[in-house]
Amino acid sequence: MILTAVVLLPLLAAILTLLLPREEKALIRNFGVAASALIFLVSLVLLWKFNTKSPDMQLGIQLAWVKTLGISFHMGVDGISLFLVLLTTFLTPVAILGAGGAVTKRHKEFVAAMLVLETGMLGAFVAMDMVLFYVFWELMLVPMYLLIGIWGGERRVYAAIKFVLYTMVGSVLMLVAIIFMYLRFHELTGVYTFDLLEWKRMILTPAEQFFCFGTFALAFMIKVPVFPLHTWLPDAHVEAPTPGSVILAGVLLKLGTYGLLRFAMPLFPYASTKLAPYIAILGIVGIIYGALLAYAQKDAKKLIAYSSISHLGFVVLGLMSLSIQGTEGAIFVMIAHGITSGGLFLGFGMLYERRHTRLMSEYGGLWKVVPKFSALYLVIMLGSVGLPGLCGFVGEFLVLVGSYDHHAAAVIQGVPVTLPHPKLMTAAAALGVIFSAVYLLVMFQKVFFGPVKHKINLSLRDVTSRELGAIVPLVVMTIALGIFPSPLLRRMEPAVKQHLAEYQVKYKASIDVKKARRAKVLSRKALRGLASKLRTIKPADRQKLRPRRRGKAAAAKASKGKWMKKTFPSRRLGNLPGRGARRRGLKGSAGRRGLGRGRRRAPIIRPRGRRHGMPQPMRGGR
Amino acid sequence: MKDLSTFSQLLRISPIVLVAGWALLTLLVESFTRNKESNRSFVGHLTLVGLSATLLLQLLLLGKMGPKAISLFHGRVLMDGFAMQMGMLFVVGALLTVLLSPSYLEGHDIDFGEYYPLLLFSVAGMMIIAAAGDLMVLVIGIETMSLPVYALCSSWRRKAASQREEASLEASFKYFIMGAFSTGITVYGIALVYGATGTTLFSDLVALGPEAATKGLLVVGMVMLLGGLGFKVAAVPFHMWTPDVYQGAPTPVTGFMAAAVKAAAFAAMLRVFTYGFGTKELVFGSNGWASILAVIAALTMLLGNLTALWQSNVKRMLAYSSIAHAGYLLIGVIAAGNPSISAEARSAVVFYLWAYTFTTIGAFGVIAWIGKREGREREDVDDWAGLARQRPAMALAMTIFLLSLAGVPPTAGFFGKLFVFKAALANTGLIWLVVLGLLTSVVSVYYYLRIVVAMYFKDAPQQEPDIQPMVSATSRVALFGATLFVLLVGMYPTSLWKHAAKALMGL
């Protein structure tokens, strides 16, 4: 109920905004800020009601929407989406408040568009029904298009249309895959449904997985954007007004990585495992390429846009590493990047309002003129660089740990190996961290240090109280998340573990399906017989069916991990293998630690009810 | 089978009779009141009454008799769920058109008395098409529908001759010549089918079974029918007439042609191909129509959408867009060729047609509504600049219609596409068509957005006198109703789907 309220309240507020008198600009703006701030407060209830220990979808709602097609109004949050929801509700009031002089006309439409956009984003984060997700996904498109197109810069029409077309190309192909899966699910079970949790029980054949994963991944990778698909982003960012940029960088891009994590990977584990090396490499290329291009920019907004490409490369790498640290780190980077890049855009927007230029060479020496603003901007900039103690550090560090230790983690957790040269790849990604320090510090230096080069800059006003209201929350969050990451990580952990455990089970089941096809059990009828048989096999038995070599390092590793567990009570690092374990354990399973621990406590397929429990793998295909 | 009594047979087709009779009535009333001031609006209102009565009668019949199929006049007419559902669609489309017409006709000072009677005759023809149980009845229906529409295209008559009138006449003439050709091809095709089988009754054709595919003459006739009907739905390569005719015709008539006439042509296609020629061998066999139609559908979607990109005239752009939509609908027709899902696919097409009818008539309604500038219609994309400023409600309505045409949720057009593509994907051979359809629909977003760009992102020229919209209470009602329908169906498609699912064909 509370979740539905959070998602639909912005829409209600948008309608109310449209009823306000057009002339009352201040009233409209204040109403927008107040309404979205109120929604943020309501969304905090989610945090309060959220069960930290549970890995499942919570606070959900499920109503029939289009019964004939099996479309339901199904929403829920888990540890993965909870903070993205909060990030959205947090950034929207900040963005509306920070709009300032970037929006000089049609205030009413602006506030309404921002609020509709908020509903679209929130809905996409919590939708558990594929059509519902698609509807919200497309719903985001229209207000963002209007934001860029109406309030944007000179080439706004070009940028707006490019943004829409890029996104649409990906999403319609995804729609084909959605319908395809829907029909396949019906073929296997006789039930028409678009419900994600139901779909997770289905295992497609490798070829089908490649097709579906390809379309899903394309849609999401355009949104992220991953390296060769990124060209719409700089245009959109440069032309978008400040609040548009804040939301675009802060939340919209995360929908791409969120989609990979929520839909593409769990639904098609086989294909995503096989393609993960390439996607991870694209992520790394994005990290370095984005950083290099950012360094080369003269236009500060473009610099920040390219830095987004670089930072989101870490998210992709973390997701593809399939380790607990990597995945948690990826989610953390999403949150942290939302705050810091939102802050960077917001802060620069404030400068832009004063000077109406985005060129860094037009500034210089601003620290002397606007010291308060400079100090605040410094914190956000350092947060984006990834200075330890600020929010950018935690996520990127976890991602690097996860990818560095990928092989060992894969052995321990039983997930497939996806990164061919983890250490080399981590080293390459770590370069990106250094680069990001370079380009952001250079930017800061150009803008804030040195002598005041242009006389006009001497008369710049320092931050107004309105601007303080927008930027201070971001600064506070930058510091707070850097010092106290564990409240977030603790809540993510169960869901991430479950994600990886499901992934592993489904991956193995996909291999079974593949083997069955190889072994000439090709007829669909035979395969279906196999599927129904396998469905009833408990996972413990399946372990017996497929004996695996076991490393003897489990005990050694367990004792090694103990001190870490004491130091890091979240047990996150407790899963790290010791050195010896890695050396010896690489050949076989290093025991049942880590994810396995959870398995020992309870079987992987927990009889917790059909919808919210772990997936009952169900195979099929032809 | 024992036939029903003449009276009950007539009762079953009473909606058709009512519309045709009402057309005659309005014609008489019009000619007797020609010189009176209130004449035009009075005939318009009379037409509204007639169409509403027809709609009521249809609902009553549907309620009383249900969607059960009944064969009338020795199988020449099939009053099944499909015929009734499509009949209602035509009447509703005509109702919307009639609601939009008066302000346009008055605003442009068009004096064409037969406007409303012709519209009604055309609707009667459409209803005959949907209920045809025989190829000859089908041809009668097509001609009854088309001839009035040819005349309607040229209805731009004024006391003083103008270029606009010439364009209207040219459109009409082109349409007539091309239409006559297509009828010729259709009739020749029917003759060949008759030569091969000795019958023109659909039920007899169905009874032939797999044997039909072996008759070469029948296959040739079938392909000719495909061409003739392809002309009516404006499928590539039979689409040439569409842009000129749609641009030249008075805008409400264009909306009527793009929506109702197209829907009727699709009714004919579904009737002929998925029912008459619906045996598996004729559909998917080596001589089957499915493969030909698949190529036509692909070309139609590609050419329609790509050509629309370059248009600067909004009516012409929407004409190409309507060609593209014919392509999407053809996918549904092909899907309906598969007997195991034909009922569902047909319903999907009917659903799409409902969504499309409201959207298209709505969009053309807004074009008609925004009036004229310096004596000409505001048809160029540039004429739409700044509309969102001056008329926010109209701009919003147009945006919703355009989004629905593009298939963006939550609008009716999205679910139309979803239903059709879902049906198509059940045949694995059609995946490529669906992918192509979706990709071209992305292309379509570009040109639909051009209108949105003009309305929202550009400012009206300074010297612009305020818009002289063609407002009337009735056109407001029509546009508001269409917008509401598009949005409501987009949010809650279940009830319309249930309605469309009753469009069962055959006995």
Side-chain angles (χ1 to χ4, degrees):
Chain A
M1 201 52 227
I2 182 76
L3 193 63
T4 323
V6 170
V7 172
L8 295 181
L9 272 178
L11 202 60
L12 182 71
I15 295 168
L16 288 180
T17 310
L18 289 177
L19 297 178
L20 294 174
R22 182 169 289 279
E23 300 77 33
E24 303 273 347
K25 286 170 194 161
L27 172 73
I28 291 168
R29 197 68 78 80
N30 291 339
F31 175 80
V33 174
S36 53
L38 191 72
I39 293 161
F40 174 62
L41 291 181
V42 174
S43 71
L44 285 180
V45 178
L46 289 176
L47 196 62
W48 177 54
K49 283 206 169 181
F50 188 81
N51 179 359
T52 314
K53 301 253 163 53
S54 161
D56 296 328
M57 283 297 153
Q58 303 183 24
L59 311 170
I61 178 170
Q62 187 165 25
L63 303 168
W65 180 24
V66 186
K67 260 194 193 147
T68 40
L69 281 180
I71 303 173
S72 61
F73 191 80
H74 186 187
M75 306 198 295
V77 282
D78 63 357
I80 294 171
S81 54
L82 175 67
F83 292 101
L84 292 166
V85 167
L86 291 177
L87 177 72
T88 312
T89 53
F90 173 70
L91 277 181
T92 308
V94 168
I96 298 178
L97 189 62
V103 173
T104 51
K105 51 180 180 180
R106 292 154 123 180
H107 300 265
K108 210 161 104 169
E109 286 85 351
F110 164 72
V111 173
M114 289 293 282
L115 291 168
V116 173
L117 184 62
E118 189 180 3
T119 287
M121 295 185 296
L122 290 172
F125 279 132
V126 300
M128 286 295 117
D129 181 282
M130 289 312 289
V131 170
L132 192 65
F133 170 75
Y134 189 81
V135 167
F136 280 122
W137 176 270
E138 299 279 302
L139 183 67
M140 288 183 315
L141 217 56
V142 180
M144 195 67 217
Y145 166 73
L146 294 177
L147 274 175
I148 300 175
I150 297 181
W151 296 278
E154 284 146 29
R155 291 164 68 236
R156 56 179 190 266
V157 173
Y158 167 77
I161 289 185
K162 195 169 175 184
F163 164 75
V164 168
L165 288 186
Y166 266 69
T167 315
M168 283 289 278
V169 168
S171 58
V172 294
L173 283 176
M174 180 168 75
L175 188 61
V176 177
I178 290 175
I179 302 175
F180 178 82
M181 287 201 65
Y182 167 74
L183 293 168
R184 177 47 40 85
F185 190 88
H186 173 250
E187 204 176 317
L188 287 172
T189 61
V191 179
Y192 278 124
T193 178
F194 280 103
D195 198 295
L196 178 68
L197 299 178
E198 295 285 326
W199 280 16
K200 276 191 177 174
R201 296 166 52 226
M202 172 168 62
I203 290 161
L204 299 172
T205 62
E208 291 166 347
Q209 288 201 21
F210 277 115
F211 167 69
C212 293
F213 181 78
T215 60
F216 271 69
L218 184 70
F220 295 136
M221 281 160 70
I222 288 174
K223 200 79 171 182
V224 173
V226 175
F227 160 60
L229 309 167
H230 66 276
T231 53
W232 63 269
L233 183 73
D235 283 315
H237 265 312
V238 169
E239 299 306 328
T242 305
S245 287
V246 171
I247 294 294
L248 185 61
V251 187
L252 236 61
L253 305 186
K254 274 75 193 179
L255 272 155
T257 43
Y258 170 79
L260 282 176
L261 176 61
R262 170 74 78 212
F263 303 105
M265 291 172 68
L267 287 175
F268 320 110
Y270 182 81
S272 72
T273 305
K274 294 295 167 202
L275 293 176
Y278 308 104
I279 297 176
I281 287 169
L282 286 181
I284 293 167
V285 170
I287 292 175
I288 295 171
Y289 176 82
L292 290 178
L293 281 186
Y295 181 70
Q297 298 306 318
K298 295 192 177 87
D299 178 329
K301 260 188 134 178
K302 264 198 173 154
L303 185 148
I304 307 171
Y306 279 111
S307 88
S308 292
I309 298 174
S310 180
H311 283 297
L312 285 165
F314 282 101
V315 182
V316 173
L317 178 65
L319 293 180
M320 292 303 147
S321 77
L322 288 182
S323 59
I324 296 180
Q325 296 94 331
T327 311
E328 280 185 20
I331 303 170
F332 202 93
V333 173
M334 290 193 224
I335 311 286
H337 177 258
I339 289 163
T340 55
S341 76
L344 287 176
F345 275 119
L346 189 72
F348 204 86
M350 292 169 184
L351 285 184
Y352 181 80
E353 268 174 48
R354 289 168 170 73
R355 283 282 276 108
H356 294 283
T357 174
R358 295 188 300 259
L359 293 178
M360 286 182 277
S361 55
E362 288 292 311
Y363 299 95
L366 291 192
W367 192 289
K368 296 187 189 83
V369 190
V370 287
K372 275 190 265 174
F373 175 78
S374 312
L376 293 170
Y377 205 64
L378 178 69
V379 177
I380 291 176
M381 185 276 292
L382 290 175
S384 183
V385 167
L387 194 76
L390 297 177
C391 66
F393 171 73
V394 185
E396 285 175 16
F397 177 72
L398 282 172
V399 166
L400 292 177
V401 169
S403 75
Y404 186 83
D405 248 0
H406 169 67
H407 278 176
V411 169
I412 294 164
Q413 294 163 12
V415 293
V417 173
T418 48
L419 305 181
H421 300 286
K423 290 181 186 151
L424 198 66
M425 291 167 88
T426 310
L431 272 184
V433 179
I434 302 167
F435 284 156
S436 85
V438 174
Y439 62 76
L440 280 171
L441 288 175
V442 165
M443 174 192 102
F444 199 79
Q445 187 189 0
K446 277 185 192 163
V447 175
F448 291 98
F449 293 146
V452 182
K453 277 185 285 183
H454 301 275
K455 274 224 173 111
I456 186 171
N457 286 339
L458 279 171
S459 57
L460 290 190
R461 238 170 352 121
D462 210 337
V463 274
T464 62
S465 52
R466 176 186 65 77
E467 289 169 340
L468 271 180
I471 205 164
V472 165
L474 291 170
V475 174
V476 171
M477 288 310 284
T478 308
I479 299 170
L481 293 187
I483 301 176
F484 303 111
S486 59
L488 273 72
L489 296 174
R490 205 171 58 230
R491 288 178 172 79
M492 287 173 200
E493 191 166 291
V496 168
K497 276 189 175 170
Q498 166 149 314
H499 159 73
L500 292 172
E502 283 179 21
Y503 189 93
Q504 175 196 354
V505 170
K506 276 195 75 177
Y507 175 72
K508 282 176 184 155
S510 305
I511 299 233
D512 287 350
V513 169
K514 188 185 168 196
K515 277 184 188 154
R517 280 176 65 82
R518 279 267 170 80
K520 305 285 176 203
V521 198
L522 276 173
S523 81
R524 188 174 288 188
K525 203 175 160 194
L527 203 58
R528 226 177 265 167
L530 176 79
S532 62
K533 206 185 289 171
L534 282 178
R535 211 186 319 173
T536 55
I537 296 177
K538 288 180 188 128
D541 299 336
R542 195 176 301 136
Q543 290 296 328
K544 280 181 219 154
L545 282 177
R546 202 185 314 103
R548 297 171 57 197
R549 280 185 295 164
R550 294 180 185 195
K552 290 179 183 173
K557 193 206 58 72
S559 65
K560 260 242 151 107
K562 253 175 198 162
W563 69 270
M564 287 181 165
K565 261 183 265 164
K566 270 180 204 151
T567 330
F568 298 94
S570 73
R571 290 200 306 272
R572 208 169 353 95
L573 295 173
N575 300 328
L576 281 174
R579 241 179 198 207
R582 234 179 300 149
R583 213 183 296 132
R584 280 163 295 165
L586 268 177
K587 282 175 195 154
S589 162
R592 297 266 156 331
R593 283 279 136 193
L595 280 169
R597 275 155 47 91
R599 194 188 304 153
R600 205 186 286 156
R601 275 204 304 270
I604 278 222
I605 295 176
R606 275 170 270 194
R608 197 178 286 162
R610 227 156 47 108
R611 283 188 190 290
H612 291 276
M614 292 281 295
Q616 301 271 338
M618 171 186 75
R619 298 120 200 271
R622 17 179 147 150
Chain B
M1 187 171 73
K2 196 172 149 277
D3 263 13
L4 297 159
S5 70
T6 313
F7 174 74
S8 53
Q9 293 196 17
L10 282 175
L11 188 67
R12 296 273 155 57
I13 61 159
S14 56
I16 306 178
V17 177
L18 179 62
V19 171
W22 206 270
L24 291 170
L25 181 73
T26 45
L27 196 61
L28 283 175
V29 169
E30 200 277 332
S31 51
F32 277 108
T33 59
R34 169 145 289 192
N35 294 324
K36 286 188 184 146
E37 268 302 299
S38 59
N39 163 26
R40 278 184 298 207
S41 60
F42 176 67
V43 177
H45 291 152
L46 197 65
T47 316
L48 272 184
V49 172
L51 283 170
S52 312
T54 316
L55 194 61
L56 276 180
L57 185 63
Q58 281 170 322
L59 284 171
L60 210 69
L61 276 178
L62 196 64
K64 271 267 185 303
M65 318 208 167
K68 215 171 131 254
I70 293 159
S71 158
L72 306 168
F73 306 107
H74 307 286
R76 297 291 186 279
V77 173
L78 288 171
M79 230 10 179
D80 47 14
F82 180 77
M84 293 197 208
Q85 301 290 334
M86 290 306 288
M88 285 166 75
L89 174 62
F90 303 142
V91 171
V92 170
L95 253 176
L96 285 174
T97 311
V98 171
L99 282 173
L100 289 169
S101 294
S103 55
Y104 183 87
L105 297 181
E106 262 163 57
H108 291 283
D109 202 20
I110 295 171
D111 184 23
F112 189 74
E114 296 82 0
Y115 186 89
Y116 295 109
L118 284 174
L119 209 68
L120 287 174
F121 277 125
S122 174
V123 172
M126 293 172 188
M127 290 161 85
I128 294 173
I129 291 177
D134 183 301
L135 283 169
M136 288 322 293
V137 176
L138 189 84
V139 170
I140 293 170
I142 289 177
E143 286 310 293
T144 316
M145 169 187 80
S146 300
L147 287 168
V149 177
Y150 301 147
L152 277 175
C153 282
S154 67
S155 61
W156 187 285
R157 292 281 172 70
R158 277 199 239 177
K159 275 116 203 170
S162 69
Q163 260 194 327
R164 183 67 182 79
E165 188 178 325
E166 275 171 30
S168 178
L169 275 175
E170 183 196 327
S172 168
F173 192 66
K174 235 177 211 167
Y175 194 19
F176 173 65
I177 296 287
M178 301 288 269
F181 263 112
S182 90
T183 307
I185 293 171
T186 311
V187 172
Y188 192 47
I190 292 172
L192 290 182
V193 171
Y194 183 76
T197 61
T199 180
T200 52
L201 265 177
F202 288 139
S203 49
D204 289 351
L205 287 173
V206 174
L208 276 177
E211 185 201 340
T214 57
K215 298 184 189 234
L217 216 50
L218 178 97
V219 174
V220 175
M222 182 179 81
V223 173
M224 296 190 95
L225 268 165
L226 200 63
L229 292 178
F231 170 87
K232 291 287 172 201
V233 302
V236 175
F238 314 106
H239 68 287
M240 302 295 188
W241 56 276
T242 318
D244 288 342
V245 173
Y246 279 21
Q247 191 185 351
T251 311
V253 175
T254 311
F256 182 70
M257 281 197 292
V261 174
K262 188 169 288 237
F266 270 102
M269 265 205 153
L270 285 173
R271 192 57 103 183
V272 173
F273 288 101
T274 69
Y275 181 58
F277 298 135
T279 45
K280 204 158 186 192
E281 288 70 18
L282 271 179
V283 184
F284 296 111
S286 54
N287 298 326
W289 52 264
S291 48
I292 306 173
L293 212 55
V295 175
I296 291 180
L299 286 177
T300 308
M301 290 185 295
L302 273 175
L303 198 126
N305 280 315
L306 292 180
T307 321
L309 286 176
W310 314 117
Q311 306 306 321
S312 61
N313 182 304
V314 176
K315 270 170 92 175
R316 223 176 157 78
M317 187 189 285
L318 288 188
Y320 279 108
S321 129
S322 88
I323 295 177
H325 278 276
Y328 304 135
L329 282 159
L330 282 177
I331 297 181
V333 174
I334 302 168
N338 183 350
S340 60
I341 55 154
S342 71
E344 194 204 331
R346 252 180 237 138
S347 302
V349 173
V350 173
F351 184 98
Y352 195 114
L353 284 171
W354 272 101
Y356 176 73
T357 299
F358 273 86
T359 312
T360 310
I361 296 188
F364 279 107
V366 178
I367 298 178
W369 181 89
I370 74 162
K372 54 188 173 183
R373 168 191 286 171
E374 288 147 14
R376 66 183 179 83
E377 279 182 278
R378 300 178 23 136
E379 288 178 352
D380 268 7
V381 176
D382 295 336
D383 289 332
W384 291 66
L387 190 73
R389 258 285 163 74
Q390 296 162 331
R391 304 276 163 175
M394 268 312 136
L396 188 66
M398 188 67 180
T399 309
I400 290 169
F401 293 138
L402 291 173
L403 288 178
S404 176
L405 284 175
V408 176
T411 54
F414 168 70
F415 279 103
K417 281 208 174 75
L418 188 66
F419 280 115
V420 166
F421 290 155
K422 179 199 154 199
L425 279 180
N427 307 336
T428 40
L430 292 180
I431 290 182
W432 67 278
L433 260 186
V434 173
V435 171
L436 188 72
L438 284 167
L439 282 181
T440 50
S441 75
V442 176
V443 174
S444 77
V445 170
Y446 180 81
Y447 59 81
Y448 293 132
L449 283 188
R450 277 182 61 194
I451 304 176
V452 180
V453 165
M455 289 191 301
Y456 280 89
F457 301 170
K458 295 200 174 132
D459 289 325
Q462 289 299 319
Q463 71 279 11
E464 167 87 348
D466 201 17
I467 294 175
Q468 312 167 335
M470 310 290 165
V471 210
S472 72
T474 54
S475 59
R476 279 214 190 93
V477 168
L479 287 176
F480 182 73
T483 317
L484 203 66
F485 180 90
V486 168
L487 275 183
L488 278 184
V489 171
M491 286 177 207
Y492 197 72
T494 313
S495 40
L496 180 61
W497 172 255
K498 275 185 188 151
H499 181 79
K502 286 182 203 148
L504 300 171
M505 197 183 277
L507 294 165

